[in-house]
Amino acid sequence: MVFALVGLVVLALLGAVHRYVWRRFVGDTTAPGSRLRRAGTVAAFVLPLLSVGAMTSGRVGAPFWLQQVLAWPGFLWLACLLYLTLALLVGEVVRPVLLRVLARRDAARTGAVSGTPSGTPAETSGTPTEVPGETRPRTEELVTSGSTGVSAPSEAVARKASEASGPVAEPEAEPTASTSTPALAPHPSRRLFVSRVVGGAAAAAGLATVGYGTYGVLRGPSVQRITVPLAKLPRAAHGFRIAVVSDIHIGPILGRAHTRRIVDTINATSPDLVAVVGDLVDGSVADLGSAAEPLAALRARHGSYFVTGNHEYFSGAEQWIDHVRELGLVPLENARVEIEGFDLAGVNDIAGETEGQGPDFGRALGDRDRGRAAVLMAHQPVVIHDAVEHGVDLQLSGHTHGGQLWPGNYLAELANPTVAGLERYGDTQLFVSRGAGAWGPPVRVGAPSDITVVELASRQA
């Protein structure tokens, strides 16, 4: 029941976001009935359907070719939707400022064309302007009195002059301000102009962000290096190098070429040991077994080890454990091995509890010699408190992707004690990798993919 309610809330939220994006990019910038509006409206319905198909096709057992067809547009649209929405929200702050600036500019331009300074009321046309110092005759002075005897001869003379000169022409009407001011050239409304400017800028910013983030994933992970001192590590093991890789996420988008890039990057560091810390795949062995085959080329003096992540339990964990074993990796299923100078342990992911295969720290660490340093491989950082309780010196984890898509890192911080990097919890140090791949959208923003070479340091050296 709770899951259904959460699903309805998510769908309602996605619907509201798509409505908002449609309004700003399509409704506010195109004419009703135009081809652009029709195309934008169709896209507003088709793209979310592709996203739903991309997220559910693997779970419902759709053919792998169909998963691949849906994955690229469906998952990429989710990333585009996020950054287009964020860009539009920034545009909401800019929009009223632009409208105000354009309104003032238009008011100033109108005043300049009419010859009247902006903000000064226009004088009525045809009304004479008084000249300072000039005395205008009073009306009563223009009216002659009949008792003076002066007006009659003057009127007679004026009448004869008028008859001699012919009809008097009517005075021309002075042009009014409306006839003398040229009309401004027609232009789109300010609101339409601002909508197009803000929409165009938001589209450019959002799509550029997604494009750069996609390039970063397809280019492959970079190599990071850190040194971790361990109090119990003997001098003989000083400088031991572990290549930590997590969250490779082989799937419908990231396939065999992605795996090959990661293997080549790891081998180039010449590690002493390789630790694959879960979430290797997003799909079945039948669909992705060949894409994982480059893992057989991993080279390390003390071998390569693997623990399950939560995504293995969505993809057939037992089959994948058998397959990675065939590729030469050693699965640590709640188990421990002794390496030169320290113990290397691994526990199943907590997602395996639904299948009765969850983490068992007692089995992996319970009977060991606590005088030796212990390094634990565990996919999710949240088990750090169990690691502290069992005297682990260093836990290697992944799962968080470093947030993958900013501002997702803030959400990841709510669910994980450490999102990325090295932190200390009591006598135990926790290192969390950002991962080498990506889940869902093949995009990373603010959390670049990496492979980390952890160099162990002895305090006795």
Side-chain angles (χ1 to χ4, degrees):
M1 183 66 178
V2 175
F3 180 79
L5 289 175
V6 171
L8 289 175
V9 170
V10 171
L11 287 176
L13 179 61
L14 285 175
V17 172
H18 277 87
R19 170 66 181 173
Y20 169 69
V21 170
W22 177 90
R23 178 189 169 192
R24 286 306 191 202
F25 281 123
V26 181
D28 290 351
T29 62
T30 60
S34 66
R35 291 183 179 180
L36 285 177
R37 175 165 292 196
R38 288 197 296 267
T41 302
V42 170
F45 282 96
V46 172
L47 289 172
L49 291 177
L50 289 173
S51 297
V52 172
M55 291 186 291
T56 60
S57 58
R59 303 291 180 88
V60 300
F64 188 64
W65 66 265
L66 181 58
Q67 296 179 41
Q68 291 177 304
V69 168
L70 295 173
W72 270 106
F75 283 125
L76 274 179
W77 171 243
L78 291 177
C80 290
L81 180 65
L82 170 62
Y83 291 107
L84 289 174
T85 302
L86 291 176
L88 285 173
L89 292 176
V90 174
E92 298 298 343
V93 179
V94 178
R95 186 184 303 271
V97 177
L98 284 178
L99 286 171
R100 191 175 297 112
V101 169
L102 291 176
R104 290 177 178 176
R105 186 199 67 178
D106 289 350
R109 181 183 297 172
T110 302
V113 171
S114 63
T116 304
S118 177
T120 302
E123 297 181 2
T124 306
S125 60
T127 303
T129 305
E130 293 187 7
V131 180
E134 179 182 5
T135 303
R136 298 178 59 189
R138 293 193 302 273
T139 305
E140 56 270 22
E141 292 178 353
L142 300 177
V143 180
T144 59
S145 172
S147 61
T148 61
V150 177
S151 62
S154 300
E155 289 178 3
V157 172
R159 189 180 303 110
K160 291 180 180 180
S162 175
E163 291 174 356
S165 61
V168 179
E170 293 292 334
E172 295 182 0
E174 295 184 7
T176 62
S178 60
T179 58
S180 63
T181 302
L184 293 175
H187 59 85
S189 70
R190 286 192 296 270
R191 188 172 299 277
L192 177 60
F193 175 75
V194 169
S195 294
R196 288 176 174 175
V197 169
V198 172
L207 296 179
T209 300
V210 173
Y212 183 76
T214 303
Y215 169 74
V217 171
L218 299 182
R219 178 185 56 193
S222 61
V223 175
Q224 308 295 321
R225 298 177 185 273
I226 63 169
T227 299
V228 180
L230 300 180
K232 301 175 186 176
L233 190 73
R235 181 179 301 178
H238 179 75
F240 192 97
R241 290 172 297 116
I242 304 174
V244 181
V245 60
S246 73
D247 302 279
I248 297 175
H249 285 289
I250 304 169
I253 294 178
L254 302 175
R256 188 183 182 95
H258 173 64
T259 311
R260 170 57 63 188
R261 280 192 298 269
I262 291 171
V263 169
D264 291 344
T265 302
I266 292 174
N267 288 343
T269 67
S270 300
D272 297 308
L273 183 146
V274 177
V276 182
V277 198
D279 276 8
L280 172 64
V281 292
D282 285 307
S284 66
V285 173
D287 292 333
L288 299 173
S290 60
E293 287 177 356
L295 293 172
L298 284 170
R299 297 289 178 265
R301 186 160 59 97
H302 290 275
S304 301
Y305 294 84
F306 168 79
V307 292
T308 56
N310 54 308
H311 282 247
E312 271 71 59
Y313 293 97
F314 306 146
S315 307
E318 291 186 9
Q319 291 82 0
W320 275 111
I321 289 171
D322 291 339
H323 190 62
V324 298
R325 185 180 286 114
E326 293 171 358
L327 297 175
L329 282 74
V330 179
L332 293 176
E333 300 179 83
N334 298 320
R336 181 181 74 255
V337 294
E338 291 187 0
I339 305 294
E340 181 181 300
F342 65 94
D343 293 337
L344 179 68
V347 292
N348 295 344
D349 185 70
I350 57 179
E353 292 175 349
T354 58
E355 302 179 13
Q357 299 175 3
D360 188 337
F361 289 88
R363 179 180 168 188
L365 298 162
D367 59 350
R368 74 178 191 86
D369 178 7
R370 291 211 174 192
R372 286 171 57 85
V375 177
L376 173 68
M377 296 170 57
H379 178 63
Q380 298 197 39
V382 293
V383 301
I384 181 62
H385 303 295
D386 294 288
V388 172
E389 182 180 342
H390 287 83
V392 170
D393 297 278
L394 173 64
Q395 176 178 320
L396 304 175
S397 297
H399 183 64
T400 68
H401 296 211
Q404 185 168 330
L405 297 171
W406 183 91
N409 54 304
Y410 297 111
L411 296 177
E413 288 176 357
L414 299 176
N416 297 277
T418 298
V419 174
L422 183 68
E423 292 186 352
R424 177 178 288 276
Y425 295 83
D427 293 331
T428 303
Q429 297 181 77
L430 169 63
F431 173 74
V432 180
S433 168
R434 289 194 296 255
W439 180 78
V443 182
R444 281 179 172 266
V445 176
S449 58
D450 64 41
I451 294 166
T452 303
V453 177
V454 176
E455 183 173 331
L456 305 181
S458 172
R459 297 187 185 276
Q460 305 169 21

